[in-house]
Amino acid sequence: MLKYTVSRFLSMLLVLFIITTATFVLMHAIPGGPFTAEKNLPEAVLKNLNERYHLNDPLFKQYTDYLANVARGDLGPSFKYEARTVNDIIAESFPVSAELGLAAVFIAVAGGLPMGIIAALRQNRWPDYLCMFAATIGISVPGFILATLFIYVFALKLELFPAAMWGGPEYVVLPALALAAFPMAFIARLTRSSMLEVLGLDFIRTARAKGLSPFAVVWRHALKNALIPVVTYLGPLIAAVLTGSFVIESIFAIPGLGRHFVTSIYNRDYTVILGITIFYSTFLVFLNFLVDIAYAWLDPRIKLDGGRGD
Amino acid sequence: MRKLISLILVLILAAAATAGCSTATKPAGKYLRYSAGTEPETLDPRRSTGSPEAIAEAQIFEGLTVLNDKDAPVAGVAEKWEVSPDGLTYTFSLRANAKWSNGDPVTAHDFEYAWKSTLSPAFGAKYAYQLFYLKNGEKYNKGLIVADAVGVKAVDDRTLKVTLEKPTPYFLTLTAFHTYYPVHRQTAAANEKWAADPKTLIGNGPFKVTAWIHNSRLEFAKNEHYWDAAKVRMPKMEFILTDSATTELAMFENNQLDLGGNVPPSEIPRLLKEGKLKIAPLLATYFYCFNVTKPPFDNVKVRKAFTLAIDRAAIVKNVTRAGQQPALAWVPPGLADEARGSDFRRVGGDFFADNDVATAQRLLAEAGFPGGKGLPPVTLIYNTSEGHKAIAEAVQEMWRKNLGVNVSLANQEWKVFINSRTKGDFQVARHGWTGDYLDPMTFIDMFVPESGNNDAQYKNPVYENLVRRAKESNDQTARIKLMHQAEKLLMDDAVLAPIYYYTNAVLVKPNVKGYVRSITGVFYFKEAYME
């Protein structure tokens, strides 16, 4: 376990290093810079600006200086937002995305699992058809369409929720639902197929033959085994929704990290692009690591150290 | 597991109950909720450049002058001023009761400090060049001389003496511009990040910032220390920060917003019909820029043919649909001509007829390409946007039908596009220009080689001479005449194909009153109120 953890940690650092370097090279390769604007700046002004942000240094020096700063935990100043650092931006916007993301994960799991279980237990009967019809809609209709629909129905027509912005719990509901629709549908389908597979296995028949109640069979025996593919999906899902969805955050004017991730590229805000990429990658790699640990808990037959099973 | 399931169910029920109880639509208050567009990059007037910043700063700062509802400069922090006969020296007398939001008096030293720090090379301000009108301003910014040589000096606390590089008859409108606002010297000198935190963001305008939730909203309260506080009627105000037009409209219709200027173009006809929109003029021209060095547009007859073969009336009627005026000249309406009350555009008139297909065809034939035959391939570039795409497609069809020319369209991401256009890496490019200040010169001097915005790569010594003479003259009659001549030359040389004069479609609730909107797009909410 220790050996596995250390090797995973080292490979995590390597992955992050490669991602940072590739991002650095790519963003400097695309035309236009942070101060490219509709109204061009006079040369002297541009020179002073580049001087201020050390953008006139050779690229390799900029890169090594950046890595040295990152090692100290300083992701640098934003070129776009004066007097704000990338650390400030992440510290302000990540909790917002995380709050929205957690609500969406909660809805996705709380809605998707029961849908999948019900569909599996009532296979080829109306509850199955209903759940899978809903799941098909959730998977095939894009989040921004659902978001627009939710705003139209629940905000403009029924006046139950605000159309946009961020504040109390009432502001979370519509964006969280829009964000949760796809993963909820995906989890429902995943749970259904996985449950159907497990329910057909020998040990379930044995459990039934022993006279256990149907409830105990499903909850104690089938579900734990059926959850493995769902947990595999949860890692990337949590990373994706917690770090923010650009589309949903834009539609609902939510001050989250997802919007920064995309607008920083339009703005060529180099430090913000790099900072958020590093943050996001770290998050993703770490969550994948947690998923691997969760596997072992759910199914001890899966070995972490790569050794052969018994 | 059973406990876990029960917990989940309880949480779902609790969430549903909370959601059901909430009443989302808050009643409209007696304060303004304005959609200010994107997040301001900064609220330090020395560093800001764009429109969202300018509008927010116009509420929390005040310059020596302010613009009235006719866009004329009137007394602001300065109660009066004197101009030397040669037009080079301005002596401003500041109000005794002008105060910062912390109660300190606003002094001439605050202006001197703000302007000099903006120009300082080490400070690295993007809009430093807006202060190049000051004597030695540009030289100081280039690091050639010291700050003391710059033409701004606090004679005493209430007297500011400004010396200009050249006579600038519109200088009093510039002093209302945000780069010319003062800053609270002690605060700004002590803390570089003062403008990022509402606690240290000290202003001298009618309002002060009480909260800034980045990418979400700015909250303002009345500044009780403001010298003209008696005229400020709203106790507070809120700026919503969203760059999505659809979101803005949804919030407006959901009664979360009273005023906003970013409307989805497809909704404009409906909103106009429902009386929810006001069309306001904007000091800006939408045009196509030719690269005069690249074939076939190195031939003036080809450029003219392409300019004349556009049906502008059809574009504004069917594509843009927000009350824009077809543009048949370069400088938009709204700028004063020589005589009081006259308009530069009206005096200058139009330079050609809209959709003059017969002349266009004749000129193209004279250029050696009758019916478009033999013309090298032409590509029109525009930055990615549904609106620009629709206009480009309409013009492409007009050129095909009227001239027999098949033009390819290419869209580019914003910064890639700007890069191509600046470097002259195009044949025809979409362009739009908004005036920085209230004088025709903000349009006229664009196509001189040193302007930095001469994307057309145009070089004409006669035009350069006219611009230079207009810039050096202190005689308003002569200046205006020279600018009319320069504009005529630009149009005769068909450097650009004007398409329309911009407008701003503003979403506004009927109970919003008393605000002032400049044609530069800046709102002043000092005397605004909600009925």
Side-chain angles (χ1 to χ4, degrees):
Chain A
M1 183 74 186
L2 182 70
K3 194 177 136 203
Y4 175 81
T5 311
V6 171
S7 82
R8 275 303 299 266
F9 182 73
L10 290 177
S11 71
M12 205 165 107
L13 285 186
L14 182 69
V15 166
L16 290 177
F17 175 76
I18 293 170
I19 290 174
T20 308
T21 311
T23 312
F24 189 91
V25 171
L26 284 174
M27 80 189 183
H28 278 93
I30 38 176
F35 310 121
T36 308
E38 173 100 57
K39 294 187 175 176
N40 285 306
L41 299 175
E43 254 173 60
V45 172
L46 195 61
K47 186 173 153 279
N48 292 336
L49 266 168
N50 285 333
E51 200 99 16
R52 192 177 141 210
Y53 288 108
H54 308 289
L55 286 173
N56 48 2
D57 289 345
L59 211 56
F60 187 72
K61 186 176 182 318
Q62 287 184 45
Y63 175 64
T64 49
D65 287 351
Y66 182 77
L67 285 187
N69 285 335
V70 170
R72 283 192 293 271
D74 175 9
L75 296 170
S78 161
F79 295 148
K80 167 106 174 149
Y81 300 108
E82 294 276 356
R84 289 175 68 195
T85 64
V86 181
N87 293 39
D88 290 341
I89 289 175
I90 294 177
E92 280 160 12
S93 53
F94 176 64
V96 175
S97 287
E99 192 183 335
L100 172 62
L102 277 177
V105 169
F106 174 75
I107 294 171
V109 174
L113 276 182
M115 271 168 76
I117 295 166
I118 291 167
L121 294 178
R122 297 279 178 275
Q123 194 191 2
N124 295 332
R125 274 179 276 173
W126 71 265
D128 182 19
Y129 297 138
L130 187 70
C131 288
M132 286 306 104
F133 176 71
T136 308
I137 289 185
I139 283 182
S140 49
V141 180
F144 70 91
I145 304 250
L146 283 179
T148 315
L149 192 72
F150 290 164
I151 291 175
Y152 181 74
V153 176
F154 297 111
L156 299 185
K157 290 290 156 201
L158 301 176
E159 298 192 356
L160 282 173
F161 297 103
M165 295 301 287
W166 195 245
E170 71 268 30
Y171 290 89
V172 185
V173 179
L174 296 186
L177 276 174
L179 197 56
F182 180 87
M184 180 160 77
F186 198 83
I187 289 174
R189 291 173 67 130
L190 216 56
T191 310
R192 178 183 180 269
S193 58
S194 182
M195 276 292 280
L196 285 175
E197 199 185 317
V198 174
L199 286 173
L201 293 177
D202 289 346
F203 77 96
I204 296 290
R205 267 199 294 275
T206 315
R208 281 193 178 130
K210 279 198 311 190
L212 281 179
S213 71
F215 185 83
V217 171
V218 170
W219 292 123
R220 282 202 208 137
H221 297 279
L223 192 60
K224 195 177 169 190
N225 288 285
L227 276 180
I228 291 173
V230 177
V231 170
T232 314
Y233 173 64
L234 279 184
L237 167 72
I238 293 174
V241 294
L242 259 55
T243 42
S245 152
F246 168 70
V247 176
I248 299 296
E249 286 176 7
S250 280
I251 291 176
F252 289 96
I254 295 167
L257 194 59
R259 279 167 86 190
H260 280 296
F261 198 35
V262 176
T263 50
S264 66
I265 299 168
Y266 291 136
N267 295 329
R268 306 285 190 274
D269 199 343
Y270 293 150
T271 43
V272 179
I273 299 175
L274 275 169
I276 299 182
T277 305
I278 292 172
F279 180 77
Y280 183 81
S281 321
T282 312
F283 207 74
L284 193 69
V285 171
F286 183 68
L287 276 165
N288 279 336
F289 175 70
L290 286 185
V291 166
D292 286 349
I293 307 279
Y295 275 165
W297 176 72
L298 283 169
D299 187 350
R301 284 174 305 171
I302 299 171
K303 284 282 183 184
L304 289 180
D305 56 10
R308 280 183 299 161
D310 302 324
Chain B
M1 188 58 89
R2 192 176 300 187
K3 276 184 187 164
L4 181 69
I5 299 296
S6 325
L7 182 69
I8 290 174
L9 282 174
V10 168
L11 283 173
I12 292 175
L13 286 175
T18 323
C21 293
S22 67
T23 44
T25 313
K26 290 174 186 162
K30 285 288 181 192
Y31 66 94
L32 181 74
R33 295 156 311 167
Y34 163 71
S35 175
T38 50
E39 161 89 1
E41 294 176 10
T42 174
L43 290 179
D44 183 340
R46 301 171 301 169
R47 294 208 183 275
S48 58
T49 56
S51 166
E53 293 80 24
I55 296 175
E57 285 167 4
Q59 321 312 322
I60 49 179
F61 291 96
E62 186 174 277
L64 293 164
T65 56
V66 290
L67 299 180
N68 66 9
D69 58 355
K70 297 189 174 53
D71 274 312
V74 293
V77 172
E79 56 185 352
K80 56 184 181 14
W81 48 83
E82 278 172 22
V83 189
S84 65
D86 60 3
L88 287 174
T89 308
Y90 285 69
T91 310
F92 293 94
S93 302
L94 273 53
R95 294 177 192 279
N97 58 345
K99 290 206 171 72
W100 291 101
S101 50
N102 66 350
D104 290 351
V106 179
T107 71
H109 298 281
D110 295 323
F111 282 93
E112 184 185 340
Y113 171 79
W115 296 7
K116 281 184 175 167
S117 54
T118 307
L119 283 168
S120 154
F123 192 74
K126 288 182 200 145
Y127 256 17
Y129 68 90
Q130 301 284 358
L131 292 169
F132 285 0
Y133 298 94
L134 304 185
K135 189 169 180 58
N136 291 327
E138 186 170 2
K139 282 189 190 147
Y140 174 49
N141 189 246
K142 283 183 171 167
L144 301 174
I145 48 162
V146 294
D148 278 351
V150 175
V152 55
K153 180 87 195 142
V155 178
D156 56 49
D157 276 359
R158 290 185 50 203
T159 313
L160 186 75
K161 195 174 163 191
V162 181
T163 317
L164 304 183
E165 193 74 54
K166 287 172 188 164
T168 311
Y170 50 91
F171 185 67
L172 289 174
T173 68
L174 290 176
T175 50
F177 190 65
H178 58 97
T179 315
Y180 286 79
Y181 289 157
V183 296
H184 189 262
R185 199 166 24 131
Q186 293 83 350
T187 306
N191 173 12
E192 203 183 306
K193 296 184 168 189
W194 66 281
D197 182 355
K199 286 191 209 76
T200 48
L201 178 47
I202 294 169
N204 69 326
F207 295 93
K208 58 185 177 186
V209 173
T210 49
W212 185 357
I213 298 137
H214 293 293
N215 268 315
S216 183
R217 64 182 185 277
L218 266 166
E219 290 169 13
F220 300 83
K222 179 177 173 173
N223 171 14
E224 64 274 20
H225 293 291
Y226 177 55
W227 68 269
D228 206 10
K231 286 203 180 130
V232 181
R233 292 172 68 168
M234 283 188 303
K236 62 181 231 174
M237 186 167 64
E238 215 172 88
F239 276 22
I240 307 297
L241 309 173
T242 168
D243 41 16
S244 161
T246 326
T247 306
E248 189 173 315
L249 181 58
M251 289 183 73
F252 182 80
E253 307 225 69
N254 198 36
N255 199 24
Q256 284 181 276
L257 202 66
D258 307 301
L259 186 73
N262 188 12
V263 189
S266 56
E267 297 282 344
I268 288 174
R270 171 180 73 85
L271 292 165
L272 271 175
K273 205 182 277 175
E274 292 172 6
K276 291 173 177 166
L277 271 189
K278 265 190 189 166
I279 301 292
L282 192 68
L283 189 67
T285 305
Y286 190 102
F287 64 102
Y288 281 166
C289 179
F290 299 115
N291 183 341
V292 300
T293 64
K294 286 218 168 150
F297 298 107
D298 50 353
N299 183 330
V300 64
K301 287 186 175 172
V302 175
R303 299 198 295 266
K304 271 192 183 163
F306 274 68
T307 304
L308 294 176
I310 298 172
D311 185 352
R312 293 158 183 80
I315 291 174
V316 299
K317 183 168 171 260
N318 304 316
V319 186
T320 60
R321 299 190 293 180
Q324 290 92 345
Q325 290 298 309
L328 302 162
W330 170 221
V331 180
L335 295 169
D337 201 76
E338 180 206 340
R340 184 182 282 270
S342 64
D343 186 277
F344 184 87
R345 181 69 284 124
R346 211 168 304 136
V347 173
D350 294 337
F351 290 97
F352 53 89
D354 188 22
N355 197 24
D356 184 358
V357 179
T359 314
Q361 287 171 344
R362 179 174 55 78
L363 285 167
L364 196 64
E366 282 176 19
F369 310 107
K373 283 188 193 77
L375 199 76
V378 173
T379 303
L380 161 67
I381 61 164
Y382 60 93
N383 53 304
T384 312
S385 128
E386 282 307 309
H388 300 324
K389 185 178 171 213
I391 294 170
E393 284 170 351
V395 172
Q396 180 190 40
E397 176 58 18
M398 289 165 191
W399 284 339
R400 191 194 61 76
K401 199 177 84 192
N402 298 338
L403 299 177
V405 177
N406 285 313
V407 172
S408 315
L409 304 182
N411 68 319
Q412 296 181 350
E413 186 264 352
W414 175 240
K415 294 235 174 183
V416 175
F417 172 74
I418 293 290
N419 202 47
S420 312
R421 209 172 63 186
T422 310
K423 287 188 171 161
D425 191 10
F426 68 95
Q427 290 171 296
V428 194
R430 182 219 76 99
H431 214 315
W433 188 255
T434 311
D436 282 323
Y437 51 90
L438 297 159
D439 188 87
M441 188 53 87
T442 188
F443 286 86
I444 293 295
D445 71 353
M446 183 158 153
F447 295 99
V448 293
E450 65 271 18
S451 102
N453 293 300
N454 181 11
D455 299 337
Q457 321 294 317
Y458 177 63
K459 279 196 184 103
N460 183 340
V462 182
Y463 168 76
E464 286 155 42
N465 187 36
L466 289 168
V467 172
R468 185 181 50 76
R469 280 165 58 205
K471 281 196 165 182
E472 284 172 358
S473 173
N474 189 33
D475 175 353
Q476 184 67 352
T477 310
R479 275 183 75 242
I480 293 285
K481 199 175 154 204
L482 288 162
M483 289 193 286
H484 277 304
Q485 287 172 3
E487 188 191 28
K488 181 172 185 310
L489 191 54
L490 270 183
M491 289 292 109
D492 286 347
D493 278 351
V495 180
L496 61 122
I499 296 183
Y500 61 80
Y501 303 124
Y502 278 87
T503 53
N504 223 187
V506 183
L507 280 168
V508 55
K509 289 266 156 80
N511 59 338
V512 182
K513 307 278 179 194
Y515 65 89
V516 171
R517 187 189 170 282
S518 161
I519 55 166
T520 57
V522 177
F523 283 93
Y524 297 90
F525 295 124
K526 174 180 164 179
E527 296 182 45
Y529 62 98
M530 308 291 290
E531 219 167 46

